[in-house]
Amino acid sequence: MGLKHLDYLKNIFEGDINKIIRFGNLQSYKNMTIIPLILEGDEAEFMTIKEAELQNASHISEQESASVSELEVVNSSKIPILIPFGHTISGGKQDRVIYQPLLVPPTQTGKPIPIPSRCVEAGRWSFELENSTEIAPKGTEHRKFKSAKIRLNPSIMSNAMKEEGDSQGSIWGGIEAQMAVFGQTTDQNVSRSYNKLASDQKERVEKYTLHFEDVEKQCGVAVFINGQLNALEFYGNKKAWKEVRNETLNGFIMEAILRMDKEESKDVLKSNEDYWKKVSDALAEAKMSFEEEKQGAGLGSVIRFGTEDGKWSGITLMHKEKLCQFYIVAKSALPETDRSTMQVQEFRNVDLEEQRF
């Protein structure tokens, strides 16, 4: 019958990652280096929510009596649809982030299923017409969402992986802390929207993107910032990576900008082999704790994992013994904040030493 999903995941950290992916040649710009991850073996069958939107095969909308977490999705296609962890959507009464990867089953009836989500726009709770300040009336198409062109950077994403009870305040607090780092005031970003925060960094982000290119069969990336491994993300089929690649890289670039000149590497990494070894060693040396395998909101199993010291946090979705999404990030560079008792500290005082391997 093959490996159980939890055993499969544990094997990644025990040296079997090379059976799933192989490493490409490093690409660098300023304080950021990426290693393309190339898929080995059979692919999982699914398409992403972005492709489904283009085919008019799926849509995300707020439920009639919507609270922050009450979203639903319909899949009218013939194959599963992946909504990745960290996928950001715009619309409805507030922009949201998906905080659990979701594989939406095909449904002939068009019956919606609920989506786990969190808000990334604390200052708005009303429908808005596109490119307008008018408020849309209830019961219109403006209850629907569309995929955004940005992903949350790892320092905020790591907050999204906290326990369900406190993750929303941590996400809002992280966004406001990052606004302070980037010098963005609430007058400039009234609704405290992450999408607005990221759009104001567009020119800086674009300078990075010019230096990173995909390779054949790429399914994800390992990301180094200031010489330190910061994140690893890959997908179970290469087409999925191609569809989410731009916004995913933009999120990692936002992290590089956040960490610019804030920390220095202890290691001098020069060659592809140095970086490949750093990734393998980091995974093998991490004393990872795994939560119990749980049924996802759709198809497959979701497993959260992390180190007890908070240095690493991750989440994965597997279905039929195949990996759909794997995501792991280093500890946030932002101070611990909760918007309910919000006191944004000076970023320069955060002890980044403990984040390093």
Side-chain angles (χ1 to χ4, degrees):
M1 291 297 290
L3 291 172
K4 291 182 179 179
H5 292 162
L6 183 56
D7 292 334
Y8 182 100
L9 180 60
K10 287 180 177 179
N11 285 345
I12 291 177
F13 291 93
E14 294 172 0
D16 279 0
I17 190 170
N18 293 320
K19 295 179 181 178
I20 303 167
I21 57 172
R22 60 185 171 87
F23 300 126
N25 294 329
L26 63 91
Q27 303 172 25
S28 297
Y29 179 68
K30 289 189 174 181
N31 65 330
M32 181 172 170
T33 296
I34 68 167
I35 300 174
L37 303 178
I38 300 161
L39 188 64
E40 300 277 47
D42 297 334
E43 297 188 350
E45 184 184 23
F46 61 83
M47 64 175 163
T48 68
I49 184 65
K50 289 189 68 178
E51 182 181 4
E53 287 174 344
L54 291 174
Q55 295 180 10
N56 292 320
S58 181
H59 67 266
I60 297 172
S61 59
E62 284 174 339
Q63 296 179 15
E64 197 67 35
S65 56
S67 69
V68 168
S69 59
E70 291 177 335
L71 300 182
E72 56 190 19
V73 62
V74 169
N75 178 4
S76 56
S77 76
K78 295 181 179 181
I79 65 171
I81 294 172
L82 175 68
I83 308 178
F85 170 75
H87 186 70
T88 308
I89 52 177
S90 298
K93 293 179 179 179
Q94 289 177 318
D95 296 344
R96 315 287 172 83
V97 63
I98 308 306
Y99 78 89
Q100 183 185 109
L102 176 64
L103 195 61
V104 187
T107 55
Q108 299 299 320
T109 61
K111 183 180 179 181
I113 67 171
I115 305 176
S117 68
R118 289 290 182 263
C119 168
V120 292
E121 186 182 17
R124 178 170 72 92
W125 187 247
S126 62
F127 297 116
E128 288 185 355
L129 295 172
E130 191 172 2
N131 300 320
S132 172
T133 56
E134 278 187 78
I135 303 299
K138 286 186 176 182
T140 71
E141 287 294 298
H142 300 283
R143 191 177 294 278
K144 293 184 179 180
F145 289 79
K146 60 182 179 181
S147 295
K149 296 180 180 180
I150 189 69
R151 284 270 297 274
L152 269 68
N153 55 298
S155 279
I156 298 177
M157 293 277 277
S158 64
N159 290 337
M161 285 184 276
K162 293 186 176 182
E163 290 297 321
E164 184 174 345
D166 66 3
S167 63
Q168 182 61 82
S170 296
I171 293 170
W172 279 338
I175 292 171
E176 292 192 22
Q178 196 157 312
M179 286 172 59
V181 173
F182 288 166
Q184 188 183 67
T185 68
T186 51
D187 287 338
Q188 296 167 318
N189 188 352
V190 176
S191 65
R192 297 179 292 286
S193 162
Y194 182 82
N195 288 338
K196 169 62 175 171
L197 173 66
S199 68
D200 283 359
Q201 300 298 318
K202 183 178 178 181
E203 286 189 19
R204 298 175 74 183
V205 169
E206 287 177 346
K207 288 179 181 178
Y208 277 81
T209 58
L210 294 173
H211 297 268
F212 301 128
E213 296 181 350
D214 276 1
V215 300
E216 188 177 358
K217 294 185 178 180
Q218 185 168 345
C219 65
V221 287
V223 180
F224 285 77
I225 297 174
N226 301 329
Q228 300 295 317
L229 181 62
N230 181 260
L232 201 73
E233 180 170 8
F234 57 91
Y235 291 83
N237 72 53
K238 55 185 180 292
K239 188 176 181 183
W241 167 253
K242 195 169 291 186
E243 289 161 1
V244 303
R245 180 245 188 214
N246 290 342
E247 58 265 33
T248 303
L249 274 185
N250 288 350
F252 291 139
I253 291 168
M254 284 285 287
E255 185 73 14
I257 295 170
L258 173 68
R259 292 177 182 260
M260 182 73 73
D261 298 327
K262 299 298 182 184
E263 55 186 300
E264 296 178 359
S265 173
K266 288 182 177 179
D267 304 315
V268 179
L269 304 178
K270 295 182 179 179
S271 67
N272 288 317
E273 289 76 12
D274 286 340
Y275 279 92
W276 298 342
K277 186 176 186 300
K278 185 76 171 180
V279 175
S280 297
D281 288 351
L283 293 176
E285 293 169 9
K287 296 179 180 178
M288 207 65 65
S289 297
F290 300 88
E291 291 188 8
E292 185 179 346
E293 184 174 333
K294 296 180 180 178
Q295 174 65 41
L299 299 172
S301 303
V302 173
I303 305 172
R304 294 177 182 267
F305 52 92
T307 53
E308 290 185 7
D309 60 5
K311 188 176 289 185
W312 295 101
S313 300
I315 191 167
T316 190
L317 171 66
M318 297 190 65
H319 179 52
K320 293 184 177 180
E321 300 180 9
K322 290 184 179 179
L323 188 145
C324 298
Q325 182 189 14
F326 177 94
Y327 183 88
I328 185 171
V329 293
K331 184 178 180 180
S332 176
L334 295 167
E336 289 289 336
T337 55
D338 186 326
R339 193 173 174 273
S340 62
T341 56
M342 187 67 183
Q343 291 182 335
V344 179
Q345 304 170 33
E346 287 290 332
F347 180 63
R348 70 176 73 93
N349 293 330
V350 178
D351 182 8
L352 293 167
E353 183 66 28
E354 63 183 7
Q355 296 172 29
R356 302 177 180 145
F357 247 91

